[in-house]
Amino acid sequence: MATYTPMIQQYLTIKAEYEDAFLFFRLGDFYEMFFEDATRASQELEITLTSRDGGGAERIPMCGVPYHSAPTYIERLVEKGYKVAICEQVEDPRQAKGVVKREVVQVISPGTLMNEKGLHEKENNFISSVTVFEDGTYGIAFSDLSTGENSVTLLTTSWEDVVAELYIREAKEIVVDAEFSAERLQQLKERKVITVSYENNATLDSNFEHLVEELQQQKLVATFARLVNYLIRTQKRSLEHLQSVQFYQINQYMKIDLFSKRNLELTETIRTKGKKGSLLWLLDKTVTAMGGRLLKTWIDRPLLQQQEIENRLNMVETFMNQFFEREELRELLTDVYDLERLAGRVAFGNVNARDLIQLKKSLQKIPEIQQVILRLNHSYATELVEGMDPCERLEQLLERGLKDHPPLSIKEGDIIKDGYHDQLDQYRDASRNGKSWIAALEQREREKTGIKSLKIGYNRVFGYYIEVTKANLHLLPEGMYERKQTLTNAERYITPELKEKETLILEAEEKIVQLEYDLFLQIRDEVKTYIPRLQALAKVVSELDVLQCFAKISEERHYTKPTFSTNRDINIENGRHPVVEKVMNAQEYVPNDCVMSDDSQMLLITGPNMSGKSTYMRQVALTAILGQIGCFVPADRAILPIFDQVFTRIGAADDLISGQSTFMVEMLETKNAVANATQSSLILLDEIGRGTSTYDGMALAQAIIEYIHEHIGCKTLFSTHYHELTVLEKELSMLKNVHVSAIEKNGKVVFLHKIKQGAADKSYGIHVAELAELPESLIERARIILNEFEQPKEKDIIKDEAMKVDHNVGKEEQKEVETVTTASQLSFFEAEQKKEAKQMTSLVKSEKAVLNQLRDLDVLEMTPLDAMNALYQLQKSLKKK
């Protein structure tokens, strides 16, 4: 380093402390990057890479971004998972002796982002810490720095459950100690984009002990302490908005593993990874950002306590019945700002006057919201709003202190109202009267000199001046004004009186700006004291928002209030898949029942491809989830048990990143279900075994069905194309066959999408291929091959029959009988043998025709009399033969 210039040495010293971040090094009006940072940043940000002399043998790579546009570039880096350390000049360059002193003032990372542009208003932005304890347990803490929410849990199971929890909460960054397993971190990075940071200090700072008062275990405190210490070290500012840590257990809520969350498309779709097309997209009729975030949390965490579920459902019912109050509430909520994130910005010190005006308007709506909710005359609603704190004194302070339309910047003045502060009013009076005096002086001088174009102007270099055009200079008496500046077409002058007023005016304006800034900071500090009350208020407002949202969507989509059974019965009448129904024309959607009582714990679902088996299975799971988050469900009537867990294996997908095939993914997801499900769980398994050979797949599918039936006994929907498995209905007392019906018309398949009792008779695979418009020649060839597979070769039938007719013949004679099976050898047979073979062939063909007629009969669609007549005709035909 000795060979580098002092400034580059300073850069390298600071960079050594932040090796895992881009160092934005402040130089005047730019943030500069050097060495490897410059090379990588120029590629990631697509900016010009240059170089400079740094005192060494070679020029140093360098790139930079303007100070005023830095937030945009920082956001782009953070979106890609990088961290950015902001290094500012912390002393006045004019007073510096040598290199200007610089320090990192903040580290911005995916989990600590506070800039509104980089945050999704209806999504939390969690940073997490994970601690592995000596007994094999895992502590996980979550914090949303933008809202101040904190939670912690302890897992005694496996690393896979830790990964699932991080996935479900969508943590953007994970904080671990330096000894944490690199292999496990790599597994985590492979499964999702996540930034890894390190913090070894797990001792809680005394300033944050009040946040963990309700935590009973030291493990939980240590886990949270690691996270807080990382935030203190990187943010270097007030964290007063952090809320008390909430302890939760994953078994407090319905457990939906990451496979099921993905397969059911609860918050994002499988194909696009976007919100549109998910359950969250369908339900989100929330008005506030806080409500949107709470809705997502509720979807991730369905309830298990029936009383809590009933409280929500009853509120939804009340909102549905009282339309005008609900619509009035929605209108009031449109004027409620994001109180949670506003509190975070107040604590962080990056709130502006416009934000506080939004806060004032929000608080002004709270009394009106309370009145609307009280008119509902509902006990749970009344309990909610009676605890609402409108923070009246804060609202009055903001109303009295801040102008209604302040500028974006807090350092340019024009923020504080007249009458709020005496000294400020005096300065403003001097400034306003001084300007009035200038205007009056201009008029007097025009009259005195007779020069109508005379004017008094101002610039920052010379201050106030009197300007006279050269054409009018002869009208000025000699020595009347003191010449200050000569222009091409005019002369500028000053007078002692004008300079005196200038000093008064400029001093007042300068003091106004500084005093307004100081007064704003005082108001902001006062708002800080209300942060806990604002956060508590936000929780009530967001809950009301989600409940009215459920009512609105339930009314629009004609959902019904579910009831919950204690005997684990399912009785869904005309149930629908909520998202598919919305995407399709509601008139075209075919609803289906799902009835599973004590004697039917498992439904074995058969039917053709594209007929709706997967949709049917998903809609049962989504109905259960909707009911347990407190929303009405898409059905005419619904009786449901309370499920503790939902497991799904639906759809085929390779996990190429982890090197796992479709079949391996299928087996892993199935293993997760059978290993963790209880009698109170719901399992959905779609075409298990299709990823391997037919016999392997069929054997596995049957074994899985039997295992769930005998060892778990939970509600299970199992769809399959292995029609051979339908015989299990006779062997397994709790299994029932159902199928999705389809019919053939003019050689084309028509899907009825209707669930009926019994097993399907055909799979219609070739018909589906035809619908997909595969080449006609390919379809025709498939039909021929299928026919060959379905009908045993004639020669094999003849051989079998011949062997049965005369099994006592000697070996030589037996060989002659076997030759009947080969058409090329018929010419060597005697005429009698030929005749016998032809008769047997004719007999077999006749019987085959009768069998084909029997197979084509749709017994379920026939009346008993029609079935008997058909059977009589077939028997008569056989007797003739």
Side-chain angles (χ1 to χ4, degrees):
M1 281 182 63
T3 60
Y4 291 118
T5 63
M7 191 269 288
I8 295 298
Q9 290 183 35
Q10 183 190 50
Y11 171 86
L12 290 172
T13 301
I14 298 172
K15 175 63 182 175
E17 298 179 19
Y18 299 93
E19 293 182 349
D20 61 345
F22 284 99
L23 184 63
F24 273 41
F25 192 76
R26 183 71 178 271
L27 284 177
D29 290 333
F30 278 79
Y31 286 117
E32 301 288 1
M33 286 163 278
F34 303 103
F35 299 100
E36 186 182 352
D37 272 10
T39 304
R40 291 167 57 211
S42 66
Q43 296 169 350
E44 296 289 351
L45 299 175
E46 298 178 354
I47 56 179
T48 303
L49 179 67
T50 60
S51 64
R52 67 172 290 163
D53 180 17
E58 298 179 356
R59 293 180 66 81
I60 297 170
M62 180 182 80
C63 71
V65 298
Y67 167 78
H68 65 274
S69 59
T72 301
Y73 291 103
I74 292 170
E75 183 183 324
R76 286 169 60 183
L77 289 172
V78 170
E79 278 182 355
K80 296 182 178 185
Y82 295 112
K83 292 187 276 188
V84 178
I86 309 297
C87 183
E88 295 286 2
Q89 298 174 173
V90 293
E91 71 172 333
D92 190 336
R94 293 170 294 185
Q95 300 176 357
K97 296 179 180 179
V99 179
V100 177
K101 188 178 179 181
R102 293 179 175 86
E103 291 179 0
V104 170
V105 297
Q106 185 184 7
V107 177
I108 303 174
S109 59
T112 61
L113 199 61
M114 291 291 289
N115 182 6
E116 282 186 335
K117 292 182 180 178
L119 296 171
H120 299 286
E121 67 171 8
K122 290 192 173 183
E123 293 180 14
N124 282 105
N125 192 65
F126 285 119
I127 181 172
S128 172
S129 70
V130 177
T131 301
V132 183
F133 297 101
E134 292 181 357
D135 60 359
T137 58
Y138 300 90
I140 313 178
F142 293 95
S143 181
D144 184 343
L145 195 60
S146 68
T147 66
E149 298 171 64
N150 297 299
S151 58
V152 65
T153 189
L154 198 65
L155 299 182
T156 59
T157 47
S158 64
W159 171 247
E160 285 70 24
D161 283 338
V162 176
V163 175
E165 193 66 11
L166 293 171
Y167 180 91
I168 289 171
R169 300 293 291 272
E170 297 183 358
K172 302 294 192 303
E173 186 174 355
I174 178 175
V175 180
V176 296
D177 63 32
E179 303 300 320
F180 201 87
S181 167
E183 182 181 352
R184 286 178 173 172
L185 290 177
Q186 186 60 32
Q187 291 173 1
L188 194 58
K189 288 180 180 179
E190 287 173 350
R191 293 209 168 269
K192 63 176 300 190
V193 178
I194 193 166
T195 301
V196 177
S197 299
Y198 295 91
E199 177 60 56
N200 291 328
N201 185 3
T203 302
L204 187 64
D205 187 296
S206 59
N207 292 324
F208 296 91
E209 288 179 352
H210 65 283
L211 299 180
V212 297
E213 289 176 352
E214 296 183 8
L215 299 184
Q216 303 297 320
Q217 299 186 54
Q218 185 56 37
K219 290 180 180 179
L220 300 175
V221 175
T223 302
F224 178 68
R226 187 184 309 284
L227 182 54
V228 169
N229 289 332
Y230 174 77
L231 295 176
I232 294 171
R233 179 167 59 84
T234 58
Q235 301 311 298
K236 302 179 185 294
R237 60 190 66 200
S238 169
L239 299 175
E240 295 178 41
H241 68 298
L242 292 185
Q243 303 178 43
S244 295
V245 183
Q246 301 297 313
F247 171 68
Y248 72 97
Q249 294 176 308
I250 57 175
N251 59 8
Q252 281 180 262
Y253 306 95
M254 176 196 281
K255 186 176 179 182
I256 308 174
D257 60 34
L258 60 92
F259 303 117
S260 301
K261 183 181 178 185
R262 180 193 64 200
N263 292 335
L264 294 174
E265 300 184 310
L266 296 184
T267 57
E268 65 179 25
T269 61
I270 296 174
R271 179 171 297 180
T272 67
K273 305 298 182 185
K275 178 180 175 181
K276 185 174 183 180
S278 67
L279 181 66
L280 176 61
W281 166 75
L282 169 84
L283 290 179
D284 194 0
K285 296 286 184 180
T286 57
V287 180
T288 68
M290 302 173 290
R293 292 194 296 271
L294 183 63
L295 170 62
K296 188 172 185 297
T297 300
W298 282 10
I299 292 174
D300 287 334
R301 299 275 186 237
L303 298 172
L304 294 181
Q305 299 301 318
Q306 185 167 344
Q307 186 57 55
E308 294 181 44
I309 298 171
E310 295 289 355
N311 285 341
R312 291 183 186 177
L313 289 171
N314 291 338
M315 273 289 290
V316 173
E317 185 175 40
T318 301
F319 274 129
M320 288 182 69
N321 293 336
Q322 296 185 241
F323 172 84
F324 293 107
E325 283 79 6
R326 187 184 80 224
E327 290 304 306
E328 189 175 347
L329 173 63
R330 284 181 62 85
E331 187 175 343
L332 290 170
L333 288 175
T334 58
D335 291 323
V336 176
Y337 190 60
D338 193 340
L339 299 176
E340 288 179 319
R341 284 192 168 154
L342 173 62
R345 297 183 65 198
V346 168
F348 245 53
N350 58 355
V351 72
N352 60 41
R354 291 186 184 178
D355 292 328
L356 296 188
I357 293 300
Q358 293 282 3
L359 172 59
K360 179 190 73 173
K361 291 180 178 178
S362 301
L363 295 177
Q364 288 171 343
K365 296 296 177 183
I366 300 304
E368 296 180 62
I369 290 173
Q370 287 178 303
Q371 292 304 313
V372 170
I373 299 302
L374 289 173
R375 292 209 311 267
L376 297 175
N377 197 26
H378 186 278
S379 58
Y380 182 69
T382 301
E383 183 182 336
L384 272 178
V385 298
E386 281 181 345
M388 291 179 79
D389 180 2
C391 303
E392 293 177 358
R393 292 186 61 185
L394 176 58
E395 184 272 324
Q396 292 167 4
L397 170 67
L398 298 176
E399 174 64 29
R400 186 166 50 88
L402 298 179
K403 290 189 174 183
D404 290 335
H405 303 286
L408 193 59
S409 171
I410 60 175
K411 294 185 176 181
E412 296 178 1
D414 201 28
I415 295 175
I416 307 298
K417 277 185 176 180
D418 290 339
Y420 178 74
H421 191 272
D422 292 340
Q423 187 64 53
L424 178 61
D425 290 343
Q426 292 174 19
Y427 286 143
R428 281 179 172 167
D429 183 65
S431 175
R432 290 166 184 164
N433 290 336
K435 290 181 179 179
S436 300
W437 182 88
I438 293 291
L441 176 64
E442 182 182 73
Q443 185 60 34
R444 288 200 309 271
E445 293 302 312
R446 285 179 179 177
E447 293 173 356
K448 186 189 300 184
T449 61
I451 303 172
K452 293 183 178 180
S453 61
L454 180 147
K455 67 177 183 180
I456 297 180
Y458 172 81
N459 67 34
R460 293 188 177 183
V461 178
F462 297 111
Y464 284 99
Y465 54 82
I466 298 171
E467 183 175 291
V468 179
T469 60
K470 288 190 175 180
N472 292 310
L473 287 178
H474 66 281
L475 298 175
L476 283 180
E478 186 69 25
M480 183 175 181
Y481 301 139
E482 179 185 342
R483 182 178 277 106
K484 186 66 176 177
Q485 184 183 18
T486 300
L487 303 179
T488 304
N489 298 316
E491 291 287 343
R492 289 178 175 174
Y493 304 90
I494 59 172
T495 68
E497 188 181 19
L498 183 60
K499 293 306 292 181
E500 182 182 342
K501 282 294 183 182
E502 175 188 305
T503 302
L504 179 64
I505 293 169
L506 296 182
E507 184 181 80
E509 289 181 349
E510 183 179 333
K511 289 183 177 180
I512 285 171
V513 172
Q514 183 60 46
L515 182 54
E516 284 204 61
Y517 178 69
D518 292 340
L519 291 172
F520 176 78
L521 295 185
Q522 290 176 20
I523 292 174
R524 189 179 69 186
D525 288 340
E526 181 67 20
V527 176
K528 276 187 182 181
T529 65
Y530 284 85
I531 285 176
R533 295 164 67 178
L534 292 174
Q535 291 170 332
L537 178 61
K539 285 181 169 55
V540 178
V541 171
S542 56
E543 184 170 350
L544 290 173
D545 192 11
V546 177
L547 293 171
Q548 69 78 24
C549 151
F550 285 168
K552 187 167 183 63
I553 196 71
S554 298
E555 184 176 70
E556 288 179 353
R557 309 301 304 173
H558 306 292
Y559 293 173
T560 189
K561 183 180 179 181
T563 56
F564 294 94
S565 65
T566 55
N567 55 3
R568 298 175 53 236
D569 284 353
I570 297 178
N571 191 341
I572 301 172
E573 294 181 9
N574 287 327
R576 293 106 62 194
H577 188 297
V579 179
V580 175
E581 181 191 33
K582 179 175 180 179
V583 173
M584 291 176 59
N585 187 328
Q587 304 297 324
E588 298 175 358
Y589 190 88
V590 179
N592 274 296
D593 298 345
C594 180
V595 180
M596 300 177 75
S597 54
D598 285 340
D599 62 344
S600 56
Q601 302 294 353
M602 181 179 291
L603 296 183
L604 185 63
I605 309 168
T606 51
N609 287 306
M610 285 181 60
S611 61
K613 298 190 299 296
S614 297
T615 300
Y616 176 70
M617 294 169 71
R618 283 190 177 100
Q619 77 185 36
V620 173
L622 292 177
T623 298
I625 291 170
L626 282 171
Q628 287 181 229
I629 66 175
C631 184
F632 283 21
V633 299
D636 290 351
R637 177 171 172 265
I639 299 174
L640 302 165
I642 293 179
F643 293 109
D644 64 352
Q645 301 176 90
V646 171
F647 299 95
T648 70
R649 170 55 211 167
I650 299 176
D654 292 339
D655 189 350
L656 299 178
I657 294 176
S658 302
Q660 294 171 348
S661 67
T662 300
F663 184 64
M664 176 55 80
V665 172
E666 182 178 297
M667 290 298 100
L668 287 173
E669 294 184 11
T670 304
K671 173 247 182 183
N672 183 52
V674 299
N676 296 295
T678 70
Q679 194 176 38
S680 298
S681 301
L682 173 65
I683 297 179
L684 313 178
L685 298 176
D686 185 26
E687 299 183 27
I688 295 298
R690 63 181 170 182
T692 185
S693 69
T694 301
Y695 293 122
D696 272 358
M698 196 184 307
L700 277 168
Q702 181 169 337
I704 290 166
I705 290 171
E706 291 173 350
Y707 184 90
I708 294 173
H709 186 276
E710 300 300 329
H711 298 282
I712 302 176
C714 66
K715 299 296 184 186
T716 304
L717 278 67
F718 194 109
S719 73
T720 185
H721 280 296
Y722 298 133
H723 290 194
E724 295 84 352
L725 297 178
T726 56
V727 299
L728 292 175
E729 185 180 49
K730 299 177 181 177
E731 302 172 15
L732 304 177
S733 61
M734 299 295 180
L735 183 144
K736 303 295 180 185
N737 284 324
V738 296
H739 71 280
V740 189
S741 57
I743 58 173
E744 277 187 73
K745 285 188 177 180
N746 302 321
K748 304 289 184 182
V749 65
V750 178
F751 301 122
L752 301 181
H753 304 294
K754 200 69 179 175
I755 298 292
K756 294 189 176 182
Q757 298 297 315
D761 58 343
K762 296 179 70 174
S763 65
Y764 299 98
I766 292 178
H767 293 84
V768 174
E770 195 172 11
L771 287 175
E773 298 183 350
L774 267 66
E776 222 172 288
S777 58
L778 185 155
I779 298 293
E780 194 55 43
R781 175 59 180 158
R783 286 199 177 100
I784 294 170
I785 295 171
L786 177 63
N787 191 55
E788 290 177 359
F789 284 152
E790 288 183 339
Q791 297 185 15
K793 292 181 180 178
E794 184 178 296
K795 63 182 182 181
D796 293 331
I797 296 172
I798 295 173
K799 173 183 173 181
D800 291 342
E801 293 300 326
M803 293 295 289
K804 290 176 184 176
V805 169
D806 192 1
H807 58 274
N808 292 320
V809 296
K811 291 183 179 179
E812 294 300 321
E813 290 83 356
Q814 186 172 344
K815 287 180 181 178
E816 290 183 40
V817 172
E818 288 177 356
T819 60
V820 177
T821 64
T822 306
S824 61
Q825 294 176 319
L826 288 178
S827 58
F828 298 103
F829 276 51
E830 296 294 331
E832 189 173 342
Q833 290 173 314
K834 291 181 181 180
K835 183 178 178 181
E836 184 180 347
K838 287 181 179 179
Q839 288 174 343
M840 189 164 292
T841 300
S842 176
L843 175 63
V844 170
K845 285 184 176 180
S846 299
E847 291 181 349
K848 186 69 175 178
V850 173
L851 286 172
N852 286 337
Q853 291 179 49
L854 180 61
R855 183 184 297 108
D856 292 340
L857 289 178
D858 191 351
V859 179
L860 294 177
E861 300 294 334
M862 300 172 71
T863 66
L865 182 59
D866 290 340
M868 289 186 65
N869 287 334
L871 185 62
Y872 172 77
Q873 292 298 328
L874 291 173
Q875 187 182 51
K876 184 178 178 181
S877 177
L878 283 174
K879 285 180 178 180
K880 285 183 180 179
K881 304 300 179 184

